[in-house]
Amino acid sequence: MSRSSRGRQRRGARRGGRERVAARGDSLVGAEFEVEVGDVAHGGFCVARHEGRVLFVRHALPGERVVARVTDGGTTSRFLRADAVQVRDASPQRREAPCPFAGPGACGGCDWQHTSAAFGRELKTRVVREQLRRLAGLEWDGAVEAVPGDVNGLRWRTRVEFSVATDRWLGLRKHRSHDVVPVDDCLIAVPEIAATGLLQEPAEPGVTGVDVAVAADREVVAVDLPVRDAGVPDVVERVGPPGEHARDFRVSARGFWQVHPGAAATFVGAALDGLEPRTGERALDLYAGVGVFTAFLADAVGPAGRVLGLEGDSRAVRDGGPNIGGLGQATLQRADIGTGDWMIPVDEMLDRVDLVVLDPPRSGAGRAVVRDVLTRGPRRAAYIACDPAALARDLAYAAECGYELVSLRAFDAFPMTHHVECVAIIEPSGAAAQ
């Protein structure tokens, strides 16, 4: 195992202040209400109501009767957050959480340890359907699919950032909190992470966290935080979609990479299947990261084609340069997508845009980016989304531009959590009938 370090990341500013506290009225934190639990909501909660007020309840399942303890909110809040601390009438889908650190007041990393991975996918399916219906007016009859590489929803996470508790032991944060729960294992992490021994000894003085990555070849890299030198090692990840040759991608141990071992290949395969690239086509890859979609698109369109990948993170662009080496038809370039003149290189380097891949951050691409891209008239676009609400909003913007949803697949790339990944394919309205 190798170790290095990297600089402290800036934490987001805390919300709060006198105006916000006043708007919440008297605190209800700690109050307990017995409630009937309704359907699942986006974010790992189920919806309940008490005396006309909505409660978003964690650690519950639809149809249960529970005692919900308020964790956030006051007498004038529009809604309350709560944990199910007692289960009076349990769902038949409930199980005892396999992880001893899951549950109310404990580690906040998992949302659905108290049910099976299969039922967790059913809950996520309901969320995707509801978000598409509510925000985009779309009906979806699909279902969230399992991703190969986990063990019944466990032992899949290849990258974990641990924080340091007050007693110097490493652990994971509570839900919506900076408090750290010391752990001696993480059941959704691959076994190699606990096998480092880092969780069996206190952190060294001055260390505020440790980021651990397990590469495709099972090499383990641990990065102490904050970084005190410039040496953050790279690791090699492998992507091999079904029916395609595998490709290796070099990425920083602190850089972005899909943490489920089957995710990258699954998403690439779904996107290419939906786009159906043709030899000689021009493709635009937005939010390209280290060039995964750029490289596979370049393979698909061949030497007569052209692919331009745009990414805002300079380190990712540097990492991605070697990843597209040997693909003369591919370019990976830095651009602040959505701000300034980011479309200038598109017009300079592509004489037309036949295909688009959009893989934006959780907040989505937004109306302006969707409009700017679709006004170039691509015959198809693949949208990879890690948030179904953002996806639904952007699909509504695409409809404003005359594009319609052709297909949508959803994947359980983060089992035991509320997160779900979607791959949507859109094309000009009526194109299929032409």
Side-chain angles (χ1 to χ4, degrees), residues 10-50:
R10 183 179 178 184
R11 292 180 178 174
R14 292 193 180 190
R15 296 180 180 179
R18 294 181 180 178
E19 293 183 3
R20 185 170 182 264
V21 172
R24 292 153 58 97
D26 296 330
S27 174
L28 287 174
V29 173
E32 295 184 354
F33 307 112
E34 187 167 317
V35 296
E36 297 282 350
V37 179
D39 208 356
V40 62
H42 182 31
F45 303 90
C46 291
V47 180
R49 286 175 171 80
H50 181 266

Side-chain angles (χ1 to χ4, degrees), residues 273-291:
D273 287 347
L275 291 174
E276 298 179 344
R278 302 166 186 167
T279 300
E281 286 194 311
R282 274 58 170 162
L284 175 61
D285 179 15
L286 295 182
Y287 314 95
V290 297

